[in-house]
Each structure stands twice: as structure tokens, then as C-alpha cells.
Amino acid sequence: MTAAAKPEDVATLKARLAAAEAALAAAEAAVAEIAEANRRLEQMIEDLRREKFGPRSEKLSPDQYNLPLEDVEIAQGILEAAQEKADATLKASRPKSARVKRIRKPLPPGLPQIERVIEPGSTLCPCGCGPMARIGEDVSRRLDIIPAQFRVLVTRRPKYACRRCSGAIAQAHAPEHVVPGGLPTEALIAHIIVSKFADHLPLYRQAEIFRRQGVDLGRATLGNWVGRACFHLRPVAERMRFHLAGTERLFMDETPLPVLDPGRQATKKGYFWAMAADDRGHGGPAPPVVLFRYAPTREGLHAERFLAGFRGRFLQCDAYDGYNRLQRLDRPEGGWTLVHCWSHVRRRFVKVLRSTASPIAEAMIRHIAGLYAVEKAMRGLPPEARLAARRKLSAPIVTAMKPWLETQLSHLSKGSKLAEHIGYTLRAWDGLVRFLEDGRLELDTNSVENLIRPVALTRKNSLFAGHELGAENWALLASLIATCKINGVEPMGYLAATLHAIINGHPMSRIDELMPWRFDAPSTADQQAAC
């Protein structure tokens, strides 16, 4: 350069240099955020690995599994947001191959859509040619929410009288309600029930949520409304029991339920017993049904009491000794035939493998996996096809398994955990191989166990039932909600419509019309008219 730089050029260069330094500092800060988010993500993954494979004392309870997983997912979101910020700061988009491809699940087609059009600030050509023509558009769909809000339903019943005489007055009858002359609609009561028994929100937490929205409803008031609903819904649950009593094959399981014992100022252990019928595995036409009952103990006499009047033949359950008495019942149909659960067996050997890396346990798990592979391929087929496949593919595995287990047991110390679990399997053998006799039978009791899990979550959040009557009401409402879920029915709509039908005189001779599997969701207009 022959001429000296002008002062304004120097100033411009300095401004550009300062801008570049600022951009570099911002980029370095964004990279630091990415590094920190990545470190936290790695730490959470390490915690999960330790929880799964580490010593027993470091493991979480099964109910806590979702908590660290949610933390990992949140950390992943932080990492992606930090990366996007770094890209924006450096004005360098990632190449297409490096971009995260999000797979979105399709949204329900019935959701209302609110459209908005975002126009540019100006549609005039910057070259001065005039207005530009529309050549297309970009469309994005994002999921939005309107927070739940209370509303007041005002019902007016006009009165009419004749001006010529004073004798006749016409007025519509006041609709019946679960709480006569009270505050709640049936839809609100249904919402409270579903929030507690499906979404695991105890009543005191719901009362706090309502209070934040300016509606002061005490826990005792909510409990009173739920109790009134139980009174009206009890005939529906009894009719569900009638449907269960006629099925030939049942699932049964039990889970602990702490119940308050006021005399000792502590809790005592009660039990929820679940009875279910589910023929979807072999394409049966009957709708799935589940019924919960409460008992103060786990004794087998309660299973006998709950099944009184049932006409079934097969009972799918675990190998708990309390069920054995059911095989000796004096019934026209004879005693129950017990069908035991391979999933319970598998869990025992999985525990041994995790703690000792036993090759015997590993081989046993592999053999059981072969049985489940056959079941997966045959699911939904008619019983005859399932039975033929089992006899061809599963029977050889089972036939070879028993002598192999007996041989392994003879070489093990009687006090070892592996010997204990092999002994459990051999004692339950007759029930375990019964699935080879009938194509309608299942390999395990997972159908009923999956239905019990929501009850366990509600128990965890509620800590305990207030008393035994409360546990019985809990069982009633849990039965209705669980049966709704396995039949693909929205429980809140079902409960609101069923309560409305019952209190407005639905005849008991047509109570089958109120079964969850018979429910058709009403339109919005019908729901408003019902309220």
C-alpha cells in the first residue's frame, strides 16, 4: 500500500475486530455450556449403569426407575439447546447428516386447530418492482394447551302460567345430581376420581391445585363427593363381577396395601386382590375385565371367598401356596386347575445372573426366552393354532428342561439361592407346563400384573388407605378405571356419563348397557346437555 490508511478505515477494522472477539467469546461460552451438559449427561448414565449392574445396596426401587431416566432426557434437551445456540452464534448450521432427526408421533386427528398467518413486514420488492406474488408457504404444527379451568354451569328452569286462570304452571323438572343441591357436576366428580385413581393425585394435592385456581375445596369435601359416587357406581362393579364369574379362564394376583390402624397409631398391611379375564391373546371375542377386591391378609381363604360362585376352570396365578386350596374346592365344575407363571420363574434366575453371573442361570433364561419367542409369533392366533405351535416348538424345550434342572440341582448346595430357585421351579412344574394343554392359556400372568401397577403407584403417592372401608371403595373405583383402560375407553367421560345415567333412573334391568366396554363417548353437545 502506497497511501496511509484512512482513520475511518482503521475505526471500521477495529469495530469488526471487536465484533469478532465478542462472537468468539459467545461461541466459547456456548461450547462450555455444551461440555457441562455433556458431563452431567455422562454422570447420569453412569448412575443408571451402577443402579442396574452395581451392588444391591446401590440399586433403586423399581418405582424410581423413571426419575433418573427423566433426568437424562432433560439433560439431553439442554445439550441440544446449547448446541443450537452455538450454531446460531457462529452462524454455521450443522450439515444435514449431523442434524438430529426427531421422530414425532402423529397427533390425534380430532384435535381442534387454530391457524395463524405470519406475514413479512413488507411484501414490496426491494428493487422497486412493486408487490411480490405469493409462491408458496411453510407450515409447522406444534402442540399447544389451554390450562384446565373451572366454569360455573348456570341452570335456569323458566316457569310458565296461564294468564286467564291461576291453576296451571309448567316447569321442567330439576335434573338429579350425585350431590343433591350441591356444587359439583358429574364431570367434576369424575375428574376428581380419575385424578386420584388413574393419575395418582391424592385428594389433598387436588385441593391444593384447586386452591391455586381460586376455588377453595377442602379434602373432606372432595372425599364426600367421591364417596357418593361410589354408592351409585357399586351396582356396575357388581355386574362386572357377574361377567367375570362366567369366564372359564381367570388371572389372579395380589399386592400389598398399607391401611391405617387407628388403635395402634400406625399402619397394618392389607392386600388388593386382582381378578381379570383377558382373551385378546388368542383373539377371543369377550371384552377384557378386571376386578379388584380388598382383604386384610394374604391368606388363601380370601381367594376362595372372592371366587365364590365363579364357574371357571383355569386360574392363572403365581406359585403362592395360598392358591393350592382352590384345587380342592367342592364345586359342580370341580376344583380350579392352576396355571403357573413363567415370568415369575424367569425373574428369579435373572436375579441370580446379576449377582453371580451363573452359567446355569444364563442357560435357564435362554431356554425361557425360546418359549416366549414362540408365544410372540403366535399371539392373536386362534387357540388351535397356538396349541399346535406349542406342541411342535415349545414342548421339546420343556421336556428337556426338567431333567436338566434336576441334574443341576443335584450338584448344588442346598442353601444356595440358585438351588432355591430351581426347587421353586420344580415344585410348580405341573402348573408351568399346563399351557401345553390348551391354546387359550397364557405363558404368564403379566396381563393381571400390568393392571396392578397403577394401583401400586396410587398407593405410593397416597401412602396408605385411611381405613378398610376406604380400601374397598378404592378397589371399586380402580376396577372401573382399569377396565376402561384395557378396553380403550376414556375413564373420565365414562364415569361422568355413567353417573348421570344412574342418578337419572337408568333401569337396573338394562345395567349391561353401562359396562365400560359398551361405552360410546358422547359428543360435546351431548355432554353439555347432560350437565
Side-chain angles (χ1 to χ4, degrees):
M1 258 191 241
T2 58
K6 295 181 179 180
E8 57 269 22
D9 293 339
V10 174
T12 301
L13 290 173
K14 288 182 177 179
R16 290 180 180 176
L17 180 61
E21 290 176 348
L24 180 60
E28 290 175 348
V31 170
E33 289 183 15
I34 294 174
E36 176 62 19
N38 194 42
R39 185 194 64 77
R40 285 185 300 214
L41 184 61
E42 290 177 350
Q43 181 61 46
M44 291 174 184
I45 293 174
E46 178 60 29
D47 291 343
L48 282 176
R49 185 181 295 110
R50 186 185 308 112
E51 183 279 322
K52 184 174 182 181
F53 300 108
R56 186 179 185 87
S57 60
E58 298 179 359
K59 294 188 176 183
L60 301 174
S61 67
D63 290 338
Q64 293 175 297
Y65 283 168
N66 285 335
L67 298 179
L69 291 176
E70 290 171 2
D71 288 340
V72 169
E73 290 152 1
I74 291 172
Q76 181 65 35
I78 295 173
L79 184 61
E80 291 180 9
Q83 182 65 58
E84 290 164 1
K85 181 180 178 181
D87 289 345
T89 303
L90 296 174
K91 297 181 180 179
S93 300
R94 285 173 290 176
K96 292 183 178 179
S97 60
R99 291 179 183 173
V100 178
K101 295 182 179 180
R102 297 179 178 87
I103 301 176
R104 291 184 177 178
K105 295 183 179 179
L107 296 174
L111 289 180
Q113 296 192 30
I114 306 297
E115 292 196 3
R116 64 175 182 174
V117 179
I118 304 176
E119 295 282 1
S122 174
T123 58
L124 296 176
C125 179
C127 300
C129 303
M132 291 187 286
R134 182 170 177 170
I135 60 172
E137 64 180 5
D138 290 334
V139 180
S140 64
R141 288 177 172 81
R142 300 163 64 206
L143 190 62
D144 193 21
I145 186 172
I146 301 174
Q149 62 181 132
F150 290 98
R151 66 179 183 180
V152 178
L153 184 64
V154 180
T155 302
R156 302 183 189 276
R157 294 184 298 121
K159 293 182 180 180
Y160 297 89
C162 179
R163 293 186 181 275
R164 297 182 181 85
C165 64
S166 59
I169 296 179
Q171 185 182 31
H173 290 290
E176 299 292 335
H177 295 295
V178 172
V179 184
L183 192 63
T185 64
E186 284 63 54
L188 177 57
I189 296 175
H191 172 79
I192 294 168
I193 292 173
V194 172
S195 295
K196 176 174 171 62
F197 297 100
D199 301 330
H200 325 300
L201 276 176
L203 295 182
Y204 77 91
R205 292 186 187 173
Q206 294 188 55
E208 292 173 357
I209 293 171
F210 295 162
R211 195 171 295 113
R212 290 201 300 268
Q213 295 181 286
V215 179
D216 193 2
L217 297 173
R219 185 193 65 235
T221 299
L222 302 184
N224 179 272
W225 294 350
V226 172
R228 289 172 179 268
C230 286
F231 172 79
H232 292 292
L233 292 169
R234 192 167 298 280
V236 179
E238 290 301 320
R239 189 62 179 176
M240 285 169 50
R241 184 184 186 279
F242 172 82
H243 283 277
L244 270 180
T247 60
E248 189 170 4
R249 181 180 61 92
L250 277 178
F251 294 92
M252 198 167 192
D253 200 5
E254 71 288 330
T255 187
L257 175 71
V259 177
L260 189 62
D261 187 1
R264 298 190 302 115
Q265 296 183 346
T267 59
K268 59 184 178 181
K269 183 182 287 189
Y271 284 87
F272 264 173
W273 294 71
M275 299 167 286
D278 189 350
D279 294 338
R280 291 175 294 178
H282 61 267
V289 187
V290 58
L291 191 67
F292 294 100
R293 300 293 298 272
Y294 170 77
T297 69
R298 198 190 178 199
E299 295 179 61
L301 61 90
H302 297 298
E304 181 178 343
R305 175 166 60 90
F306 294 147
L307 295 176
F310 279 55
R311 300 181 295 278
R313 175 188 170 195
F314 295 107
L315 185 68
Q316 298 218 216
C317 56
D318 57 31
Y320 168 50
D321 293 341
Y323 292 115
N324 292 339
R325 63 187 295 143
L326 301 177
Q327 300 178 97
R328 304 184 294 271
L329 291 181
D330 184 14
R331 307 185 305 159
E333 303 83 5
W336 288 88
T337 300
L338 302 185
V339 184
H340 290 141
C341 173
W342 279 98
S343 182
H344 280 77
V345 172
R346 182 184 180 278
R347 287 174 204 157
R348 289 172 170 262
F349 288 95
V350 167
K351 288 180 180 179
V352 172
L353 180 62
R354 286 177 177 174
S355 60
T356 66
S358 165
I360 298 175
E362 183 180 6
M364 184 63 177
I365 294 169
R366 189 168 58 251
H367 297 326
I368 296 175
L371 299 179
Y372 275 96
V374 177
E375 295 302 305
K376 182 178 180 180
M378 297 296 109
R379 182 159 183 81
L381 295 182
E384 299 78 13
R386 283 158 54 99
L387 183 60
R390 286 170 176 175
R391 288 178 173 173
K392 179 180 179 180
L393 303 173
S394 300
I397 299 175
V398 171
T399 301
M401 189 184 296
K402 186 178 182 181
W404 176 76
L405 286 173
E406 291 172 338
T407 301
Q408 300 302 327
L409 183 61
S410 65
H411 297 134
L412 294 171
S413 168
K414 293 183 179 180
S416 69
K417 279 292 182 182
L418 184 57
E420 176 187 333
H421 298 327
I422 292 178
Y424 170 90
T425 305
L426 292 175
R427 288 193 300 274
W429 193 257
D430 290 344
L432 288 171
V433 300
R434 201 148 276 139
F435 76 104
L436 298 173
E437 302 173 7
D438 194 313
R440 296 171 300 172
L441 302 178
E442 297 295 337
L443 204 62
D444 53 40
T445 60
N446 287 352
S447 295
V448 69
E449 287 190 39
N450 292 336
L451 296 171
I452 280 182
R453 285 196 181 96
V455 173
L457 283 174
T458 302
R459 175 190 65 204
K460 180 178 177 60
N461 287 326
S462 298
L463 301 182
F464 50 81
H467 48 73
E468 294 190 352
L469 178 60
E472 292 171 2
N473 292 331
W474 185 343
L476 183 153
L477 295 172
S479 301
L480 295 173
I481 291 173
T483 302
C484 281
K485 287 183 176 181
I486 57 177
N487 283 279
V489 171
E490 198 280 302
M492 180 177 164
Y494 165 77
L495 289 173
T498 302
L499 284 170
H500 182 266
I502 291 174
I503 61 179
N504 282 280
H506 187 92
M508 289 296 295
S509 60
R510 292 164 44 202
I511 195 170
D512 278 338
E513 297 174 5
L514 301 182
M515 295 296 102
W517 53 87
R518 298 281 298 274
F519 177 69
D520 290 324
S523 65
T524 303
D526 292 338
Q527 290 176 339
Q528 292 175 348
C531 293

